[in-house]
Amino acid sequence: MKVPTTHINAAKGDFAPVVLMPGDPKRAKYIAANFLENARLVNDVRGVQGYTGFYRGKPVSVMASGMGVPSMLIYSEELFAAYDVKAIIRVGTAGTIDPNIKLRDIMIVQSASSNGNVLQRFSGDFSLSTVASFSLMSSAKAVCEREGLNYKIANVLTSDYFYDEAPEKMKKAQSLNISAVEMECAALYVNAMRYKKEALTICSISDNILTGKGLDSNERETSFNSMIKVALEVAHTF
């Protein structure tokens, strides 16, 4: 794949080996401004902002993935294939369907199922299990324990439908030990598997699908900051 790509106009070498990927471009800018030193803009195609700076002396990049499976597939593939990024850590929000998981908890995602056809697209006639990098997951667990954060290592459903929370579907997911619903993880994990790279999703629990309760904007920012610090510490040890 040639550089620049269709969706990223950065030069070769503009991205660090590890990229943090929130969904929202504004969150990418927020991370760069508040957590990275000497951050510089390396991509702004279609307003999907990407930055590279330093965290505790080590280069780290952050770029938005956009919303949903197709967008994550595009950006993660171009980073892995064209820019030789070694690891991507998705940082986002998720809605819990596990009564034991509370709002603001951090979820380290070990596997992602999907209600779309992306997994079948790449696996053909067999079922594909999309899983996190064990080393990144172990590192995130160690950081959470060191910092005294509430966390759970869990399985998620990557859904193509934001407004699809039918009770019978959530009960089915619960019966399969799925703890939360989000919209990008399976796409990231399948691309990491395809390109033999490493990937991890860390989510802040912003909503409870079972009760309808959720965090307001200020509460989301606070819990988001804790999650970002975990991801940056993982990137620093990579």
Side-chain angles (χ1 to χ4, degrees):
M1 189 179 291
K2 294 181 179 179
V3 173
T5 65
T6 303
H7 305 92
I8 303 174
N9 61 2
K12 199 77 171 178
D14 274 348
F15 285 100
V18 183
V19 177
L20 271 60
M21 293 200 83
D24 186 351
K26 289 185 178 179
R27 282 186 175 172
K29 183 177 181 179
Y30 174 85
I31 294 169
N34 291 278
F35 294 92
L36 299 183
E37 296 179 356
N38 300 319
R40 61 187 178 91
L41 185 70
V42 296
N43 181 68
D44 197 24
V45 175
R46 301 191 179 196
V48 178
Q49 298 169 356
Y51 299 85
T52 296
F54 294 86
Y55 177 73
R56 296 206 291 121
K58 190 164 186 176
V60 177
S61 294
V62 55
M63 192 177 84
S65 69
M67 187 180 296
V69 164
S71 189
M72 174 59 88
L73 282 175
I74 289 171
Y75 289 111
S76 61
E77 180 159 2
E78 292 185 7
L79 288 173
F80 283 143
Y83 290 93
D84 198 30
V85 167
K86 306 298 183 186
I88 294 175
I89 304 173
R90 162 165 151 67
V91 285
T93 56
T96 182
I97 56 174
D98 184 335
N100 296 314
I101 296 177
K102 300 179 178 64
L103 298 179
R104 301 183 185 86
D105 283 356
I106 291 173
M107 180 172 291
I108 302 168
V109 180
Q110 65 180 352
S111 72
S113 301
S114 172
N115 61 9
N117 62 5
V118 62
L119 304 186
Q120 186 178 0
R121 162 69 177 81
F122 293 111
S123 64
D125 60 356
F126 64 88
S127 297
L128 178 68
S129 299
T130 63
V131 295
S133 157
F134 181 77
S135 62
L136 294 182
M137 188 169 62
S138 298
S139 180
K141 177 179 182 291
V143 173
C144 286
E145 291 185 348
R146 185 183 73 214
E147 299 298 325
L149 300 171
N150 292 325
Y151 77 96
K152 182 173 181 178
I153 296 175
N155 309 309
V156 302
L157 170 64
T158 296
S159 178
D160 283 350
Y161 310 98
F162 186 83
Y163 297 107
D164 184 28
E165 300 169 357
E168 66 275 11
K169 294 181 181 179
M170 295 301 101
K171 287 181 180 179
K172 182 65 174 178
Q174 284 178 307
S175 73
L176 296 170
N177 197 31
I178 291 172
S179 295
V181 181
E182 55 81 73
M183 299 188 72
E184 290 85 27
C185 184
L188 172 60
Y189 285 5
V190 74
N191 268 347
M193 294 167 73
R194 291 172 63 216
Y195 287 98
K196 298 179 175 58
K197 301 297 179 81
E198 298 196 48
L200 179 66
T201 290
I202 305 174
C203 286
S204 174
I205 300 300
S206 59
D207 299 276
N208 187 314
I209 294 173
L210 303 177
T211 65
K213 293 182 179 179
L215 302 178
D216 63 29
S217 58
N218 290 331
E219 292 171 323
R220 284 173 186 252
E221 181 174 316
T222 301
S223 59
F224 184 74
N225 285 349
S226 297
M227 173 187 59
I228 292 304
K229 290 178 182 177
V230 173
L232 286 168
E233 287 296 317
V234 173
H236 189 268
T237 61
F238 181 78

